[in-house]
Amino acid sequence: MSETENALSTSLPGGTWALGDLTVPRFGYGAMQLAGPGVMGPPADHDGALAVLREAAALGITHIDTAGAYGPRVTNRLIREALHPYPASLHLVTKVGAVRDQQGGWPPAREPEDLRRAVHENLEDLGLDALDVVNLRLGDAQGPRPGSLAAPFEALVELQQQGLIRHLGVSNATAEQVAEAQTIAPIVCVQNAYNLAHRQDDELIDELAGKGIAYVPFFPLGGFTPLQSTALSAVATRLDATPMSVALAWLLRRSPNVLLIPGTSSVAHLRENVAGAGLPLSDEDLAELDRIGDG
């Protein structure tokens, strides 16, 4: 990493974290919203999508989350068009285990042949010889589902042994599946739905922090009840900030292993997210925000 890149990345809120041997800023970017409506098809503003990716890189963001299912295959190709050839400091994290149907659904695709195809499509679309991190997406669109992940995870381990994947993770997983994955091969991250109001993974986050494993929450403002939204908005108003800024700042304070990947298709909104995540929260602010998820 050059001195300029290092200065940029360390200026992002939250500092850095290690995904195995890959160091990334804790503030990253999720590319899902760059695809068309419903995460299907191309973006309405192709040049605007490229501008967002280039601005993310200019801001020092070196952790970009994507998936072949976004579009499908749209966001990966946008990333390649915008940023290839990639600097050594840029790390792309992708997911396999689901595809898209004609109705815009996300049916599982976790047979070994599905996973091999997905990995090779990610490599082709991103223009890479090896993927930095691949998450196995489990469960379904409604959330995690119980059951063994051994067969699909072992298929990814085989691809890792072939040199096509550097590091592994799991997404949309139960705590039991996270534990099972670790008995098969090391993981560097877990990507689950989690926010101020939905804190079912609190124990898991703390356990992973002790093992040096990242936790990457998605839907930072998803699933709030009206009462919870009102409470968050009240704190945001008092701090002269947006609810998203408060939610992101709280996540960064939650645990040092929490990595953010908020998505947007707007350069201005991307900048707002970066600035907002650095919002200072007092102990009183944190206590009030914690109460949003109590029960």
Side-chain angles (χ1 to χ4, degrees):
M1 182 183 293
S2 70
E3 289 184 7
T4 301
E5 288 173 324
N6 186 61
L8 284 168
S9 65
T10 54
S11 71
L12 291 165
T16 61
W17 184 264
L19 294 171
D21 62 348
L22 313 175
T23 298
V24 297
R26 290 180 62 210
F27 191 99
Y29 172 72
M32 184 173 74
Q33 292 186 32
L34 293 183
V39 202
M40 291 289 283
D45 182 357
H46 182 89
D47 289 343
L50 300 181
V52 170
L53 288 163
R54 289 168 180 153
E55 179 66 12
L59 290 168
I61 293 172
T62 62
H63 169 202
I64 296 179
D65 180 82
T66 185
Y70 298 163
R73 304 184 73 170
V74 168
T75 64
N76 282 353
R77 290 170 176 171
L78 289 169
I79 290 168
R80 180 176 186 173
E81 183 178 354
L83 301 176
H84 195 276
Y86 308 117
S89 59
L90 181 65
H91 301 302
L92 304 176
V93 177
T94 190
K95 284 178 291 296
V96 296
V99 292
R100 306 304 302 280
D101 60 27
Q102 292 183 343
Q103 292 72 43
W106 303 79
R110 293 192 285 269
E111 294 299 321
E113 59 269 25
D114 297 325
L115 300 174
R116 285 191 290 270
R117 183 187 315 108
V119 165
H120 282 284
E121 287 179 352
N122 273 275
L123 290 167
E124 177 185 348
D125 293 341
L126 290 168
L128 291 169
D129 295 322
L131 300 169
D132 282 334
V133 183
V134 174
N135 286 311
L136 174 62
R137 187 183 189 276
L138 299 161
D140 56 31
Q142 282 67 53
R145 294 288 181 264
S148 175
L149 55 60
F153 197 69
E154 287 168 357
L156 289 183
V157 171
E158 182 178 340
L159 293 167
Q160 183 184 39
Q161 292 168 345
Q162 293 171 14
L164 301 180
I165 300 170
R166 294 181 68 179
H167 299 289
L168 296 170
V170 293
S171 176
N172 206 31
T174 67
E176 292 76 18
Q177 288 164 339
V178 172
E180 183 185 14
Q182 293 175 81
T183 68
I184 298 170
I187 62 172
V188 299
C189 56
V190 174
Q191 187 179 112
N192 276 1
Y194 177 87
N195 57 39
L196 267 168
H198 294 273
R199 301 183 56 177
Q200 66 285 345
D201 277 354
D202 270 338
E203 184 177 339
L204 177 62
I205 289 173
D206 295 337
E207 177 187 330
L208 294 173
K211 296 180 177 180
I213 297 171
Y215 184 92
V216 188
F218 56 83
F219 296 142
L221 283 181
F224 278 56
T225 66
L227 185 63
Q228 290 167 331
S229 294
T230 299
L232 175 60
S233 295
V235 174
T237 299
R238 187 178 74 243
L239 298 175
D240 192 25
T242 66
M244 176 63 106
S245 294
V246 175
L248 293 176
W250 179 86
L251 284 167
L252 278 183
R253 290 288 297 273
R254 170 60 186 82
S255 181
N257 66 322
V258 170
L259 309 185
L260 303 186
I261 52 166
T264 178
S265 58
S266 158
V267 167
H269 190 206
L270 173 66
R271 293 173 182 156
E272 289 173 7
N273 283 344
V274 173
L279 180 72
L281 299 176
S282 68
D283 290 342
E284 291 77 14
D285 295 329
L286 290 169
E288 187 168 348
L289 293 168
D290 284 342
R291 286 195 290 273
I292 292 174
D294 286 348

